[in-house]
Amino acid sequence: MVKDYFFRDERSAIINEDLFATTKIAQDSIDLVVTSPPYNVDIQYNSHNDRITYAEYLEFSAGWMKRCHGWLKPEGRFCLNIPLDKNKGGQQSVGADLTTIAKEAGFSYHATIVWNEGNISRRTAWGSWLSASAPFVIAPVELIVVLYKDSWKKTGGTRESDITREEFMAWTNGLWTFNGESKKKIGHPAPFPVELPLRCIKLFTFLEDTVLDPFMGSGSTLVAARQCRRTGIGIDIDPRYCEIAEGRIENNEGKTGNVS
């Protein structure tokens, strides 16, 4: 029997359920969804098959995005962290394809932020070395696609922002540069840094808004939400990842917020 919540206090809620099955989130109740879904590049998650066909992956993506669309308020925003493309298992235009699927799910497009992780260690293949025969072109960046439900202009909520002048000037530039997160340090196979959701939260929500991460993983979004006086809700099917997220919340991880 699934217990009510894996963890819950006045600022955070962890739901250890399948995002397609949970009934704990009301329709039209979320101000911002910020997430990094599985990339389908054969990452060894405990409770998710990250090696399905690309057609199956796109179908899976359409399903979870439709759920998120229903959970968002009419003025709700959606920050989708995805790769620009991939070559593992075949060359695929992941960023373009998932942006199209998001629009088919009912979202409207606003902008794309390019995240330069400053990490080229992922480069393990060049195709035809020093030859025009069949070289691989790999961009060491990811995307944060910014979408919205019905209206981009936000009029509800407290209308109180906590973003500084320096942060606003830097973060409205669509090229963000900061490092990724360490798998070994966090204990999760694909963590993203708190810096990513923190920027999205401060830029696109007001104080006391509610933020959802449907692929919570190690809990970076919930950590960021607590630091910014927002309510964070995370969903994850794996109990071990829920434990990691709860531990990070209870340890009150240090605040970030680089302006580059």
Side-chain angles (χ1 to χ4, degrees), residues 207-248:
L207 293 172
E208 307 301 335
D209 276 358
T210 300
V211 181
L212 169 69
D213 189 340
F215 297 98
M216 177 193 64
S218 61
S220 296
T221 299
L222 272 64
V223 171
R226 288 178 82 89
Q227 292 174 357
C228 299
R229 281 179 52 198
R230 274 75 162 180
T231 297
I233 302 173
I235 306 171
D236 206 286
I237 197 170
D238 189 83
R240 174 56 187 149
Y241 301 156
C242 291
E243 288 176 1
I244 293 171
E246 180 181 0
R248 295 180 75 195

Side-chain angles (χ1 to χ4, degrees), residues 36-52:
S36 184
Y39 288 0
N40 199 37
V41 290
D42 200 21
I43 290 174
Q44 299 304 302
Y45 294 107
N46 290 345
S47 307
H48 173 76
N49 179 9
D50 199 46
R51 191 178 181 180
I52 56 181

Side-chain angles (χ1 to χ4, degrees), residues 54-55 58 83-97:
Y54 197 60
L58 296 182
L84 175 63
D85 52 23
K86 76 180 186 80
N87 60 27
K88 192 165 187 177
Q91 313 292 114
Q92 299 291 353
S93 54
V94 183
D97 294 343

Side-chain angles (χ1 to χ4, degrees), residues 129-151:
W129 175 251
L130 297 181
S131 169
S133 175
F136 289 170
V137 178
I138 303 171
V141 299
E142 295 192 5
L143 307 179
I144 303 166
V145 185
V146 183
L147 305 113
Y148 61 96
K149 187 170 179 177
D150 293 337
S151 170

